[in-house]
């Protein structure tokens, strides 16, 4: 990969659903031009609706010079979109063969030095390019919904990925005020999804065994674990819990991985009772509110949390 990387002024997006649309809103808020390809007939209407909904929260966080929700346009083919971008983000449906076919189509259209990132939530670079020639400028850039607010983006490559492509991706996401986490090596599901799945699995067990309702579990997270985790992560929490020894004090107390009272490890067997309890509990959580109203509340809360994090954060580097 050439060391001469393009100045990123235009971002090309393949797909404009919840994830692709979220990327669009974020890029527009940072003063970039956005080019979109999406074959759905109502794609433009859905995208403009999403941007309109996201914009107030983005305004709360502060818009960059030139930020303008109208700086977006659609083009007729995926290859055309890719050929116009200084950075390309693929956010198509999470179907392996569909993504592979799309990549075969668009990789030849990449301009020199341009990085193509995939928003996939599970597939690795190696899997996605397994039936085509390697592309050293293709990386994983896995965001979290909604991408225009949640800062984390997991970045990963394969053995053949150019280090310059990873570096350029990380630098671009930082420009968008994201927090990129580069994996040591590629693995299906990446990092955060593994953690999220483990917590969700335990929550299902608690519902399945009649220990807690979905409302109680959400309350424990929203008002207990989540606020603390928004400041420091679980390893830091545990390190602080042992005032004298730090995390070293944990290991004599428990055989690592054998805390049987706190971990079921395996997901519960699917059954009608569990499904009914989850459905009824989640309906109660919605409390008759429209999905859009809950999304607006989520966005406002997240924006407020992010502002608080910025004002109170301590640079882990000590700078």
């Amino acid at each position: 990969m050439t060391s001469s990387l393009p100045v990123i002024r235009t971002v090309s997006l393949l797909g404009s659903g919840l994830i692709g649309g979220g990327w669009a809103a974020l890029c527009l808020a940072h003063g970039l031009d956005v080019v979109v390809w999406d074959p759905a007939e109502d794609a433009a209407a859905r995208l403009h609706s999403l941007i309109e909904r996201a914009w107030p929260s983005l305004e709360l966080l502060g818009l960059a010079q030139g930020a303008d929700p109208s700086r977006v346009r659609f083009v007729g083919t995926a290859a055309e979109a890719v050929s116009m971008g200084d950075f390309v983000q693929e956010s198509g449906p999470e179907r392996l063969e569909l993504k592979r076919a799309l990549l075969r189509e668009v990789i030849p259209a990449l301009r020199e030095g341009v990085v193509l990132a995939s928003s996939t939530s599970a597939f690795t670079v190696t899997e996605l390019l397994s039936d085509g020639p390697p592309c050293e400028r293709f990386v994983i850039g896995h965001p979290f919904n909604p991408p225009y607010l949640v800062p984390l983006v997991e970045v990963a490559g394969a053995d053949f990925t150019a280090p310059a492509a990873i570096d350029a991706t990380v630098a671009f996401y930082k420009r968008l005020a994201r927090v990129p986490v580069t994996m040591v090596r590629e693995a299906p599901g990446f990092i955060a999804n593994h953690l999220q799945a483990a917590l969700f699995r335990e929550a299902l067990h608690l519902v399945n065994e009649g220990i807690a309702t979905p409302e109680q579990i959400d309350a424990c997270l929203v008002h207990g674990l989540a606020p603390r985790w928004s400041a420091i992560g679980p390893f830091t929490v545990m390190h602080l819990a042992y005032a004298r020894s730090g995390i070293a004090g944990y290991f004599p107390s428990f055989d690592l991985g054998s805390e049987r009272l706190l971990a079921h490890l395996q997901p519960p067997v699917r059954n009608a009772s569990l499904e009914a309890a989850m459905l009824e509990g989640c309906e109660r959580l919605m409390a008759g509110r429209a999905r859009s109203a809950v999304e607006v509340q989520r966005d406002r809360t997240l924006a407020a949390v992010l502002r608080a994090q910025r004002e109170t954060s301590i640079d882990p580097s000590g700078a």
Side-chain angles (χ1 to χ4, degrees):
M1 178 178 177
T2 177
S3 59
S4 178
L5 299 170
V7 175
I8 298 175
R9 297 188 178 92
T10 300
V11 177
S12 295
L13 302 175
L14 306 179
S16 60
L18 287 175
I19 301 301
W23 280 118
L26 179 65
C27 291
L28 292 167
H30 282 81
L32 297 168
D33 291 310
V34 173
V35 175
V36 179
W37 169 80
D38 190 317
E41 292 184 1
D42 62 343
R46 287 189 291 105
L47 176 58
H48 289 302
S49 176
L50 189 154
I51 293 171
E52 181 180 2
R53 186 175 71 245
W55 208 252
S57 295
L58 290 165
E59 287 179 319
L60 282 175
L61 294 173
L63 300 176
Q65 184 176 2
D68 186 342
S70 70
R71 291 176 64 176
V72 57
R73 64 183 176 122
F74 279 76
V75 295
T77 69
E80 181 183 5
V82 167
S83 70
M84 299 170 66
D86 303 315
F87 188 93
V88 181
Q89 187 81 33
E90 177 272 322
S91 304
E94 196 71 357
R95 298 202 296 272
L96 183 58
E97 291 308 318
L98 188 152
K99 285 186 180 290
R100 283 174 172 170
L102 180 60
L103 292 172
R104 287 195 300 268
E105 177 185 349
V106 302
I107 284 175
L110 275 176
R111 292 187 291 108
E112 183 177 0
V114 173
V115 172
L116 167 58
S118 175
S119 299
T120 179
S121 60
F123 304 126
T124 65
V125 166
T126 300
E127 286 178 305
L128 290 166
L129 297 182
S130 64
D131 65 348
C135 176
E136 64 175 4
R137 291 176 285 154
F138 176 63
V139 303
I140 300 301
H142 172 231
F144 288 79
N145 195 35
Y148 54 86
L149 286 182
V150 180
L152 177 63
V153 185
E154 295 175 311
V155 178
D159 292 341
F160 53 80
T161 303
I166 297 291
D167 293 343
T169 301
V170 168
F172 176 60
Y173 290 151
K174 285 184 176 180
R175 176 181 169 186
L176 298 180
R178 302 304 86 186
V179 178
V181 173
T182 303
M183 295 181 64
V184 175
R185 63 180 178 86
E186 64 174 353
F190 320 126
I191 302 170
N193 277 344
H194 280 273
L195 302 175
Q196 183 172 248
L199 191 152
F200 192 71
R201 185 165 59 238
E202 291 301 313
L204 286 177
H205 273 291
L206 293 173
V207 175
N208 190 52
E209 296 172 12
I211 297 170
T213 66
E215 304 99 298
Q216 292 168 335
I217 291 169
D218 270 21
C220 287
L221 292 171
V222 171
H223 303 294
L225 297 178
R228 185 167 65 182
W229 283 347
S230 73
I232 56 176
F235 285 154
T236 307
V237 168
M238 187 63 72
H239 184 71
L240 295 178
Y242 293 86
R244 295 185 177 181
S245 60
I247 191 68
Y250 165 82
F251 298 106
S253 302
F254 299 94
D255 293 325
L256 189 61
S258 63
E259 299 163 72
R260 299 185 183 278
L261 293 178
L262 299 177
H264 293 80
L265 297 182
Q266 297 298 320
V269 176
R270 181 180 179 181
N271 61 81
S273 177
L274 172 59
E275 292 184 24
M278 290 300 301
L279 177 61
E280 293 168 6
C282 289
E283 288 177 346
R284 291 192 297 271
L285 281 168
M286 293 298 287
R289 296 172 294 172
R291 178 189 178 93
S292 59
V294 176
E295 289 174 337
V296 168
Q297 179 190 5
R298 175 203 63 191
D299 288 1
R300 289 176 177 171
T301 302
L302 272 172
V305 169
L306 293 174
R307 290 181 67 182
Q309 284 180 325
R310 290 181 182 179
E311 294 169 1
T312 63
S313 64
I314 298 174
D315 187 339
S317 68

